[in-house]
Amino acid sequence: MTSYYFLLAVAIIILSTKFLGGLSEKVNMPQVVGALVAGVILGPSVLGVVTETNFLAETAEIGVILLMFMAGLDTDINEIKKNSVSMLCIAAMGVILPLIGGAACYYFYFHVDSSDFNEVLKCVFMGVILTATSVSITVEALREMGKLNGPVGSAILGAAVLDDIIGIIILTIVSSLKDPSVSIISILIKIALYIVLMAVLAVILKTARPKVDDLKDKRRVCIYVMALILLVAFITEQYFGIADITGAYLLGLLMSTFEIKSYIAKKLTVPSYLFFSPIFFASIGIKTELSGMTISMLIFSVLLLLVAVLTKILGCGLGARICKFSTSDSFHIGIGMVSRGEVALIVAQKGYNMGLLSGYLFSPIVLVVIVTTIITPVLLKKFMK
């Protein structure tokens, strides 16, 4: 007999995430914080009124794919080309240090057996989570201070984009290595073939762009784009063993030069905002096992938070300094890159699905996301006055 529990679960999730998201916004915090808290409260750790089901998990996956496509669509490729060298340097240092720091934190705290390849991968994956950067809240803080279009603001935005691209590439490699039967050579061949496929897709989209931009019936375009997003995500995961979010992000990146992109973003934001994204963020909170937050895990959470903050400030700051930014500007760039946000949550969920992240480790990660998201605008306003 068909169970209609999922209808009640979705209704509760949508109402609670929007209500707590609104409260978060009123106290100058991003709505994602409220959505996460809603998931934790609704999940087995607190009230236990919503449990994870296949429907919620699959719906959350579509939410992730849409979020990553929108992130790619919002990317300014011209800005990246303009200051590519300095941004790449900042992004690279902002990935290397958190990657090493996160892996080392997990390795030494849990006394990982280095002879166990799967455990070593878990260490690396913890580092991959810390490489992520989310600058949505940083952008708002910089805009309020009139610093968004300055050298610091541009450097933060460009480096954050490249930071995530590098992080996604590392995520893809780690995801492929999860299967011990797959050789490094086969992984590299798959990645090379995937690059060729995306290059062909780029040529097709570039050729079709004038016709697409001139279409009068724009509503159909959004339907085709939605289907294309899901198709690319499916092919990426199913045939190349690469994370589906990678395909969604790259497709968004390829379409970011379309004149019609604002219309596409406007239309796709509606289902994402109303339905898919709330379920995704709530599902992260539902997975969070606060019951496993022992004294030991609390200590690990604090250590991981310190590593997350310091490695971004030092890594991105050092990269900026190498590129001739002043000491104060380098420090400001480092602070602006601290926030992890939804990107870290997306990566964490991929790790959970692949068996590289245990459920009890969601609590430290959610803590890192919430705290870094809150303190980033606070620190920027304090030091950039």
Side-chain angles (χ1 to χ4, degrees):
M1 183 176 177
T2 303
S3 171
Y4 292 94
Y5 162 79
F6 73 95
L7 296 175
L8 177 62
V10 170
I12 293 172
I13 287 172
I14 290 175
L15 288 173
S16 60
T17 53
K18 294 308 174 187
F19 175 71
L20 291 179
L23 288 181
S24 296
E25 198 172 31
K26 286 183 178 179
V27 294
N28 297 319
M29 286 192 292
Q31 293 192 35
V32 65
V33 176
L36 284 170
V37 174
V40 174
I41 294 173
L42 295 174
S45 295
V46 184
L47 297 179
V49 294
V50 177
T51 56
E52 189 179 14
T53 62
N54 288 335
F55 171 76
L56 290 180
E58 291 168 355
T59 304
E61 189 67 22
I62 296 176
V64 174
I65 290 168
L66 284 176
L67 279 172
M68 292 306 289
F69 172 77
M70 299 294 284
L73 201 64
D74 288 338
T75 301
D76 187 348
I77 293 180
N78 292 326
E79 187 64 31
I80 293 176
K81 290 178 180 177
K82 187 178 173 183
N83 301 296
S84 56
V85 176
S86 59
M87 290 176 181
L88 182 60
C89 184
I90 294 168
M93 294 301 293
V95 166
I96 293 171
L97 262 67
L99 180 64
I100 295 172
C105 184
Y106 184 96
Y107 180 86
F108 289 110
Y109 192 82
F110 292 106
H111 306 290
V112 172
D113 180 5
S114 56
S115 62
D116 188 332
F117 182 70
N118 195 53
E119 288 300 312
V120 172
L121 271 184
K122 289 181 179 180
C123 291
V124 176
F125 190 80
M126 184 58 69
V128 173
I129 293 173
L130 295 193
T131 64
T133 300
S134 176
V135 291
S136 55
I137 194 69
T138 301
V139 167
E140 188 59 34
L142 290 172
R143 184 181 288 114
E144 288 176 10
M145 295 183 290
K147 304 280 188 180
L148 184 60
N149 296 320
V152 173
S154 297
I156 290 173
L157 291 174
V161 170
L162 292 173
D163 184 302
D164 286 342
I165 292 174
I166 296 170
I168 287 174
I169 292 172
I170 296 173
L171 170 63
T172 297
I173 295 172
V174 173
S175 302
S176 302
L177 288 173
K178 178 65 173 69
D179 185 354
S181 64
V182 179
S183 66
I184 297 294
I185 299 299
S186 66
I187 293 170
L188 294 176
I189 290 173
K190 277 188 174 183
I191 292 175
L193 289 174
Y194 185 68
I195 291 172
V196 172
L197 175 67
M198 295 309 293
V200 172
L201 181 59
V203 172
I204 294 172
L205 289 174
K206 186 176 181 179
T207 304
R209 184 177 62 192
K211 295 180 179 179
V212 173
D213 287 334
D214 291 338
L215 282 176
K216 294 181 180 179
D217 189 358
K218 296 180 180 179
R219 290 177 297 177
R220 289 181 181 240
V221 174
C222 293
I223 296 173
Y224 299 145
V225 169
M226 183 66 180
L228 184 60
I229 295 168
L230 299 177
L231 182 62
V232 169
F234 170 75
I235 292 173
T236 300
E237 183 81 51
Q238 187 71 22
Y239 296 106
F240 293 92
I242 297 173
D244 51 9
I245 58 174
T246 305
Y249 183 83
L250 291 177
L251 178 62
L253 203 61
L254 294 177
M255 298 190 70
S256 64
T257 56
F258 280 42
E259 289 182 14
I260 201 176
K261 78 168 187 176
S262 58
Y263 181 81
I264 294 172
K266 180 182 177 181
K267 291 298 181 182
L268 291 186
T269 296
V270 175
S272 178
Y273 176 80
L274 289 178
F275 185 72
F276 293 104
S277 291
I279 292 177
F280 165 64
F281 290 122
S283 71
I284 296 294
I286 291 169
K287 289 187 181 75
T288 304
E289 298 178 12
L290 290 180
S291 58
M293 185 62 88
T294 60
I295 296 297
S296 175
M297 286 308 300
L298 185 59
I299 294 171
F300 176 70
S301 300
V302 173
L303 289 175
L304 190 66
L305 176 61
L306 290 173
V307 169
V309 173
L310 294 176
T311 53
K312 273 294 182 184
I313 292 177
L314 292 174
C316 296
L318 180 59
R321 202 69 188 95
I322 292 172
C323 295
K324 310 299 182 183
F325 280 86
S326 67
T327 302
S328 60
D329 282 350
S330 299
F331 180 56
H332 298 154
I333 290 171
I335 292 174
M337 298 284 283
V338 164
S339 180
R340 295 315 197 269
E342 68 279 0
V343 181
L345 298 177
I346 291 169
V347 175
Q349 178 163 346
K350 296 304 297 183
Y352 178 82
N353 294 338
M354 292 185 295
L356 287 173
L357 189 71
S358 302
Y360 66 86
L361 285 173
F362 265 99
S363 299
I365 292 166
V366 170
L367 179 67
V368 167
V369 168
I370 292 174
V371 175
T372 56
T373 302
I374 293 171
I375 68 171
T376 298
V378 174
L379 292 175
L380 279 174
K381 289 178 182 179
K382 178 178 176 58
F383 291 105
M384 286 189 71
K385 276 186 177 180

